[in-house]
């Protein structure tokens, strides 16, 4: 029996950032199992590269005024999908509805279930942890209702979904503790493009480390500055000739100040292609120590066959990569020195690192695991 799928996301699929790329990968995996489907997301000039050819594209339009949006915020309507999706479902019927990110589904799970559809929610992170680290970026008038109703949306999705998918086993454990009766499965994050082996670039003998990320975003910026001031001097003690490249969008003045204070650090702002920066390095570092979900920037290093040194929080979701000897973790200065020694004496080669990445994060890997989950939960 053929089933119709509705896939709803608030991400702009034509943008190039972690959340958007994750959603493109999720959509590609689901499209492999449904012959007919519709995607609701923000409008795009050209949707063809991102919407599966056998799916329809239904651009979400939010024509509310700023005053109406503020009023709605205090009623629990924290995004424009609330009205648009309800209207769409009054005229269309689906067998399965996927909510990509709990924020997208605010106020919708109960309504969707009343249509008779099976509901699947993809949790990009644990909202409690994400909002704790990033809520200060929102204006005060929006902040408090947004915090409350974002967490409520997460609880509603957990409670009412037929299947809840998480990007890490850690997030799944948190949700199972909160909602032991819910159907929760760790899934992962997967590439939306075919995985191609990197072209080896000649490297100098010097030890070059690289960090990439959004250099203005608080959850990335604070740990990077902490790494430069607290841990990078330890690297220089072990290897005085070591160099650290930090590259990403819009580096803050505080990060530029740290660059000038510590030897061996170079910032490359707003590169045309981050891959060219990563290819210059021997090792990849991810110092992020807060939030939940999967730290997508680690994939920048794995794609190029680089072994990884990261904070233990950032390792969530990369357990199989660590087991293969391609990733090493730390949580303080002592454990950092131990992990650094292992990293600089790593026995795996770039081809082995890349194969570990491909086995875990290719679209084929995501489809295989998704198929197992959907059959187990009688969705397929």
């Amino acid at each position: 029996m053929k089933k119709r799928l509705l896939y709803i996301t608030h991400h702009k699929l034509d943008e190039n950032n972690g959340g958007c790329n994750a959603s493109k990968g999720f959509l590609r995996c689901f499209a492999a199992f449904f012959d007919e489907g519709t995607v609701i997301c923000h409008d795009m000039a050209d949707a063809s590269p991102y919407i599966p050819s056998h799916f329809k594209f239904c651009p979400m339009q939010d024509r509310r005024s700023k005053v109406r949006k503020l009023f709605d915020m205090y009623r629990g309507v924290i995004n424009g999908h609330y009205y648009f999706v309800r209207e769409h479902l009054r005229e269309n019927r689906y067998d399965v509805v996927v909510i990509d990110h709990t924020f997208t589904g605010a106020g919708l799970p109960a309504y969707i279930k009343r249509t008779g559809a099976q509901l699947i929610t993809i949790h990009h992170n644990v909202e409690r942890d994400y909002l704790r680290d990033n809520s200060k970026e929102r204006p005060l008038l929006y902040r408090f209702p947004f915090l409350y109703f974002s967490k409520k949306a997460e609880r509603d999705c957990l409670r009412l979904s037929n299947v809840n998918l998480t990007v890490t086993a850690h997030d799944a454990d948190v949700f199972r503790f909160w909602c032991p009766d819910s159907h929760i499965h760790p899934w992962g994050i997967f590439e939306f493009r075919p995985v191609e082996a990197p072209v080896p670039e000649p490297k100098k003998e010097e030890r070059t480390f690289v960090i990439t990320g959004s250099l203005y975003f608080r959850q990335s910026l604070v740990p990077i500055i902490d790494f430069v001031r607290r841990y990078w001097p330890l690297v220089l003690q072990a290897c005085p000739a070591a160099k650290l490249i930090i590259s990403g969008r819009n580096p803050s003045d505080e990060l530029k100040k740290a660059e000038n204070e510590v030897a061996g650090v170079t910032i490359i702002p707003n590169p045309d292609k981050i891959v060219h920066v990563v290819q210059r390095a021997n090792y990849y570092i991810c110092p992020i120590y807060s939030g939940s979900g999967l730290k997508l920037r680690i994939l920048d290093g794995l794609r190029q066959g680089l072994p990884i040194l990261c904070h233990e929080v950032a390792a969530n979701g990369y357990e199989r990569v660590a087991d293969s000897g391609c990733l090493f973790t730390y949580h303080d200065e002592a454990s950092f020195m131990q992990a650094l020694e292992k990293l600089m004496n790593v026995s795996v080669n770039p081809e082995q690192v890349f194969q570990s990445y491909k086995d875990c994060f290719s679209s084929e890997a995501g489809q295989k695991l998704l198929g197992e989950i959907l059959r187990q939960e009688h969705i397929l």
Side-chain angles (χ1 to χ4, degrees), residues 302 305 349-361:
L302 294 176
N349 58 42
E351 291 76 18
Q352 291 171 305
V353 176
F354 175 78
Q355 188 60 49
S356 178
Y357 150 76
K358 183 177 179 181
D359 291 343
C360 296
F361 301 106

Side-chain angles (χ1 to χ4, degrees), residues 2 67 127 217 231 249 273 331:
K2 293 183 178 180
V67 174
E127 288 295 332
F217 188 46
Y231 291 101
R249 289 182 294 169
K273 289 190 176 181
H331 62 272

Side-chain angles (χ1 to χ4, degrees), residues 11 20 26 33 60 89 116 163 221 253 278:
H11 284 123
C20 296
F26 295 148
F33 296 97
M60 197 282 290
L89 288 175
V163 179
L221 178 62
D253 292 338
V278 177

Side-chain angles (χ1 to χ4, degrees), residues 261-274:
E261 293 174 352
V262 183
V265 179
T266 301
I267 295 175
I268 301 179
N270 305 307
D272 291 332
K273 289 190 176 181
I274 200 74

Side-chain angles (χ1 to χ4, degrees), residues 21-218:
N21 290 342
S23 291
K24 285 179 272 193
F26 295 148
L27 175 57
R28 182 177 177 184
C29 289
F30 272 95
F33 296 97
F34 293 88
D35 297 321
E36 185 179 353
T38 299
V39 179
I40 292 179
C41 67
H42 290 279
D43 201 2
M44 296 175 278
D46 181 12
S48 60
Y50 314 107
I51 306 299
S53 58
H54 59 294
F55 276 24
K56 297 177 182 177
F57 174 44
C58 185
M60 197 282 290
Q61 299 177 0
D62 185 1
R63 298 188 176 91
R64 295 176 299 160
S65 67
K66 290 184 178 180
V67 174
R68 177 62 186 272
K69 288 179 180 178
L70 179 59
F71 176 74
D72 278 350
M73 182 72 70
Y74 282 84
R75 298 175 54 243
V77 181
I78 58 178
N79 63 68
H81 289 80
Y82 177 85
Y83 297 111
F84 189 87
V85 171
R86 289 166 73 97
E87 182 178 346
H88 181 83
L89 288 175
R90 279 195 287 269
E91 301 174 359
N92 300 273
R93 286 290 178 264
Y94 297 91
D95 301 292
V96 180
V97 176
V98 176
I99 292 176
D100 179 355
H101 202 300
T102 55
F103 169 85
T104 311
L108 290 173
Y111 186 88
I112 291 171
K113 294 300 290 288
R114 286 198 294 271
T115 69
Q118 294 174 296
L119 178 61
I120 300 172
T121 297
I122 305 172
H123 300 260
H124 284 236
N125 45 52
V126 178
E127 288 295 332
R128 174 200 62 187
D129 299 335
Y130 179 82
L131 294 170
R132 178 191 62 217
D133 298 323
N134 299 285
S135 61
K136 292 182 180 179
E137 297 180 3
R138 296 189 173 272
L140 277 174
L141 280 175
Y142 281 89
R143 185 182 307 168
F144 296 107
F146 180 83
L147 287 173
Y148 175 81
F149 287 112
S150 292
K151 293 176 183 178
K152 183 179 185 301
E154 181 177 68
R155 292 193 301 271
D156 290 345
C157 286
L158 282 168
R159 184 171 53 87
L160 295 174
S161 294
N162 297 86
V163 179
N164 292 278
L165 300 174
T166 69
V167 299
T168 71
H170 174 269
D171 290 357
D173 289 341
V174 172
F175 290 144
R176 288 187 186 118
F177 180 76
W178 293 350
C179 301
D181 296 328
S182 295
H183 293 232
I184 300 166
H185 297 268
W187 184 28
I189 280 179
F190 309 97
E191 294 287 4
F192 66 95
R193 291 173 291 220
V195 170
E196 298 179 357
V199 178
E201 292 285 330
K203 302 181 191 292
K204 298 180 181 180
E205 290 299 320
E206 62 187 8
R207 307 278 192 176
T208 302
F209 299 75
V210 65
I211 296 173
T212 59
S214 298
L215 305 182
Y216 61 92
F217 188 46
R218 181 176 177 80

